[in-house]
């Protein structure tokens, strides 16, 4: 919710001073004034003196840094909240540890209902495999349990849960002992989600949004859809975000649109686009991302969920309805299908008409020079997650095991995208990786593949303005007069200008550059600590005066 005033009422004015304000309007600003839900002024301490008498509140920053609030451009809010408040297997470093966490959760959870957990990842487990169904049955003491892999594109389920899904054994992606994928996974997920009560769902959403606010995140893009959540989940989240203080929520619905009627139905849900996780393929970790050449550790090329023809039809219908379209695409074959499909729609409707909608692609990990050029030509936004590289990149990481080191080194080419003029919006895909905006910037600036690194300033822009531009807003995500008063206050060390190329000064505090500084994000340096988050002029997280 934003701060509101009645007609004729003077908006409440807050003056922040004696700090550092990150603003292109004044790279040396130490003060900022907010009137109602908008930034009114940024400038120097001397100029702030003349505003102090008329301010309703004066905030002494005591040297703290003020930045635009971050926008997380890819979130699954309810799933994130359920992970924060329930069974999280991310800490498990072995099969034995994972089973122990399941057993402890099952023993502590109230009787009845389905147990839901997330986050197992066998990449570095010494056993090299997930639990069998029999092992999970024993750990869960015979209770129904749904347990998604870290990428959420495959899941484990106990016998007691599978028994609730008639015909599951006949669905594609069913495995009698191992992880479920495809239609079998979606059917079991729906059975598990149906047991979550409206109160549990709202509590989980609040927990996720509170965590986001505590980390300086002022807006999230909720990527909902029929295969990953439900209409009720999306509409409930949007209603909660409107009614209660917290980050803004921009909703996407991943339903395939082929007509004006279906486009209207997307809007009636409150979604701003038929985009997000509209799956062109799956994930690398689950061997379901669609590749041109087979996996290095499996004799197949993954799974294609949409053809270029399907994609062209969706983009055409959305564009004709003035609705943003988008897709989840990770593998190089899936990204090729997306660019070919969008190009076909542009041939039919006109390139500028398609470009104007800022259609988006989530993840976009396996890119080639040709698909990068297509992104630029079609004005596609790349909604990307730098933490994926931090978690699974590198010569010995999961990507290298799935693809081989040579192909793995091509993943997540952020620098090439920026050089081509492709808009970037950074996100977490929470709960796949956790909310961690400064860690996300660090992952982009210190990408495991050197040539893909970008400056901290470029990464910061992608995680602030980039998220707003991805929803069609060019007036936000920056602290200038007239912009929405969405900002965060940070305790941090010295501010620097950091660049990824050794041919230029990597660390610079020279004021003559006129470039606003940002915290030191070098590996090992402490990350900034959030002291306050404000959304639309309203404080949604506060420990500034502790």
């Amino acid at each position: 919710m934003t701060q509101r005033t009645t007609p004729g009422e003077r908006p409440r004015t807050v003056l922040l001073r004696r700090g550092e304000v990150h603003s292109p309007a004044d790279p040396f600003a130490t003060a900022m004034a907010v009137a109602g839900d908008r930034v009114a002024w940024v400038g120097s301490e001397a100029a702030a003196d003349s505003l102090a008498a008329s301010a309703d509140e004066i905030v002494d920053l005591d040297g703290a840094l003020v930045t635009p609030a971050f926008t997380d451009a890819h979130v699954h809010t309810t799933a994130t909240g359920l992970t924060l408040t329930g069974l999280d297997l991310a800490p498990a470093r072995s099969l034995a540890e994972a089973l122990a966490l399941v057993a402890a959760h099952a023993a502590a959870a109230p009787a009845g209902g389905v147990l839901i957990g997330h986050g197992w990842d066998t990449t570095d487990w010494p056993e090299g495999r997930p639990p069998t169904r029999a092992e999970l049955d024993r750990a869960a003491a015979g209770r129904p349990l749904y347990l998604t892999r870290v990428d959420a594109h495959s899941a484990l389920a106990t016998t007691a849960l599978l028994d609730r899904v008639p015909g599951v054994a006949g669905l594609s992606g069913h495995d009698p002992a191992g992880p479920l994928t495809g239609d079998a996974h979606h059917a079991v997920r729906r059975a598990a989600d149906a047991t979550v009560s409206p109160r549990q769902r709202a509590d989980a959403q609040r927990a996720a949004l509170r965590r986001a606010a505590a980390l300086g995140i002022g807006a999230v893009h909720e990527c909902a859809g029929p295969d990953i959540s439900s209409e009720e989940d999306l509409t409930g989240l949007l209603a909660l975000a409107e009614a209660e203080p917290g980050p803004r929520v921009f909703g996407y619905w991943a339903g395939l649109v082929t007509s004006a009627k279906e486009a209207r139905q997307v809007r009636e849900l409150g979604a701003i686009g038929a985009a997000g996780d509209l799956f062109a393929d799956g994930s690398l970790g689950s061997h379901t991302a669609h590749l041109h050449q087979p996996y290095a550790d499996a004799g197949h090329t993954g799974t294609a969920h949409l053809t270029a023809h399907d994609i062209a039809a969706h983009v055409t219908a959305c564009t004709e309805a003035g609705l943003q379209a988008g897709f989840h695409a990770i593998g190089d074959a899936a990204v090729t299908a997306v660019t070919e499909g969008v190009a076909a729609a542009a041939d039919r409707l006109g390139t500028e008409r398609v470009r104007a909608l800022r259609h988006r692609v989530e993840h976009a990990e396996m890119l080639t020079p040709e698909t990068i050029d297509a992104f630029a030509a079609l004005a596609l936004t790349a909604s990307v997650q730098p933490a994926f590289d931090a978690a699974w990149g590198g010569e010995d990481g999961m990507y290298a095991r799935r693809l081989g080191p040579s192909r793995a080194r091509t993943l997540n080419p952020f620098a090439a995208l920026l050089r081509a003029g492709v808009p970037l919006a950074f996100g977490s895909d929470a709960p796949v990786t956790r909310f961690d905006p400064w860690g996300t910037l660090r992952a982009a600036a210190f990408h495991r593949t050197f040539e893909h690194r970008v400056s901290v300033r470029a990464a910061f822009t992608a995680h602030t303005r980039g998220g707003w531009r991805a929803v069609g807003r060019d007036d936000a995500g920056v602290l200038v007069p007239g912009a929405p008063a969405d900002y965060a206050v940070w305790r941090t060390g010295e501010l620097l200008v950091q660049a990824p190329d050794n041919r230029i000064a990597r660390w610079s505090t020279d004021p003559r550059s006129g470039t606003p500084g940002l915290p030191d994000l070098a590996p090992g340096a402490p990350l900034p600590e959030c002291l306050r988050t404000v959304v639309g002029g309203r404080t949604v997280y506060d420990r500034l005066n502790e």
Side-chain angles (χ1 to χ4, degrees):
M1 295 179 65
T2 59
Q3 187 183 123
R4 294 183 172 89
T5 57
T6 58
E9 180 184 1
R10 184 182 71 85
R12 187 171 183 273
T13 302
V14 178
L15 176 64
L16 299 90
R17 59 185 309 181
R18 290 206 325 117
E20 301 280 351
V21 180
H22 187 91
S23 172
D26 183 347
F28 311 112
T30 62
M32 179 174 78
V34 171
D37 63 355
R38 297 277 162 173
V39 176
W41 168 87
V42 294
S44 68
E45 204 58 41
D49 287 337
S50 63
L51 300 176
S54 60
D56 297 295
E57 179 185 357
I58 297 176
V59 178
D60 186 344
L61 295 168
D62 191 25
L65 170 67
V66 182
T67 71
F70 288 103
T71 293
D72 192 312
H74 193 119
V75 173
H76 305 286
T77 307
T78 302
T80 300
L82 290 172
T83 301
L84 289 170
T85 59
L87 176 55
D88 181 6
L89 291 191
R93 294 294 173 260
S94 68
L95 171 61
E97 287 186 15
L99 290 171
L101 288 171
V102 170
H105 181 75
V114 174
L115 305 175
I116 297 176
H118 172 78
W120 58 273
D121 184 358
T122 64
T123 301
D124 296 317
W125 287 5
E127 300 88 350
R129 66 171 180 87
T132 65
R133 191 156 299 149
E135 289 170 333
L136 269 187
D137 286 346
R138 287 193 295 271
R143 298 185 61 177
L145 168 68
Y146 171 70
L147 203 57
T148 46
R149 190 185 181 277
V150 63
D151 58 15
H153 284 271
S154 58
L156 300 167
T158 57
T159 303
L161 178 56
L162 292 172
D163 287 345
R164 299 186 177 200
V165 188
V168 67
L171 297 176
S172 64
H174 178 265
D175 187 311
L180 306 168
T181 60
D183 291 341
H185 175 205
H186 296 321
V188 172
R189 178 201 59 76
R190 284 191 289 269
D193 284 355
T195 69
V196 178
S197 71
R199 179 174 178 177
Q200 287 174 302
R201 194 177 305 280
D203 287 346
Q205 292 166 350
R206 289 188 184 96
L209 294 176
R210 281 197 299 267
R211 176 63 62 87
L215 293 170
I217 297 170
V220 301
H221 298 182
E222 166 65 16
C223 292
D227 289 332
I228 44 177
S229 58
S230 67
E231 293 183 2
E232 293 77 16
D233 184 83
L234 175 60
T235 56
L237 172 63
L238 295 176
L240 183 145
E242 178 64 25
E244 300 181 7
R248 303 175 193 262
V249 177
F250 297 99
Y252 284 95
W253 181 250
L256 199 62
V257 171
T258 58
S259 67
K261 178 181 178 180
E262 289 171 338
R264 286 194 301 273
Q265 289 169 342
V266 171
R267 286 198 172 96
E268 287 166 1
L269 290 174
I272 62 171
D277 276 335
L278 178 51
F279 296 122
D281 67 344
S283 74
L284 291 166
S286 291
H287 290 101
T288 53
H290 188 208
L291 313 180
H292 284 303
Q293 301 298 323
Y295 284 88
D297 61 349
H300 61 82
T301 57
T303 306
H305 296 301
L306 296 173
T307 66
H309 177 78
D310 298 328
I311 290 160
H314 179 76
V315 173
T316 297
C318 287
T319 303
E320 289 179 331
L323 184 67
Q324 188 181 32
F327 306 90
H328 161 120
I330 287 179
D332 51 0
V335 174
T336 296
V338 168
T339 54
E340 289 178 350
V342 178
D347 287 342
R348 177 178 175 181
L349 300 175
T351 299
E352 290 309 312
R353 191 174 174 190
V354 169
R355 285 174 57 91
L357 270 296
R358 304 185 186 187
H359 302 308
R360 52 191 283 169
V361 182
E362 309 302 314
H363 315 308
E365 293 198 78
M366 292 186 71
L367 293 158
T368 64
E370 292 74 22
T371 51
I372 290 173
D373 287 346
F375 270 54
L378 298 165
L380 294 174
T381 294
S383 171
V384 295
Q385 295 75 40
F388 287 8
D389 176 73
W392 302 304
E395 294 297 302
D396 299 318
M398 182 270 287
Y399 291 153
R401 300 177 203 182
R402 293 289 187 269
L403 303 171
S406 179
R407 275 193 295 178
R409 281 192 290 271
T410 68
L411 263 61
N412 301 300
F414 305 138
L417 286 163
L418 285 178
R419 283 195 298 271
V422 176
L424 297 185
F426 281 179
S428 64
D429 198 8
V432 175
T433 64
R434 62 194 176 97
F435 291 135
D436 183 15
W438 291 108
T440 295
L441 268 58
R442 173 180 282 170
F446 295 92
H447 197 295
R448 291 177 180 271
T449 303
F450 184 85
E451 57 265 33
H452 299 331
R453 294 178 177 181
V454 299
S455 69
V456 170
R457 182 183 180 190
F460 181 79
T461 298
H463 217 348
T464 50
R465 296 194 79 174
W468 282 95
R469 287 169 170 164
V471 297
R473 291 279 300 273
D474 294 329
D475 63 330
V478 61
L479 299 180
V480 297
D486 290 23
Y487 63 90
V489 180
W490 308 91
R491 179 181 292 124
T492 187
E494 183 181 17
L495 303 184
L496 309 168
V497 178
Q498 302 163 63
D501 193 326
N502 284 333
R503 292 172 298 179
I504 57 178
R506 181 180 293 274
W507 314 108
S508 174
T509 56
D510 189 341
R512 292 172 298 178
S513 69
T515 302
L518 287 164
D520 180 4
L521 299 184
L527 294 177
E529 177 185 357
C530 186
L531 301 177
R532 177 178 288 182
T533 304
V534 175
V535 175
R538 184 170 184 173
T539 300
V540 299
Y541 172 78
D542 194 14
R543 50 186 302 267
L544 182 61
N545 297 314
E546 290 183 5

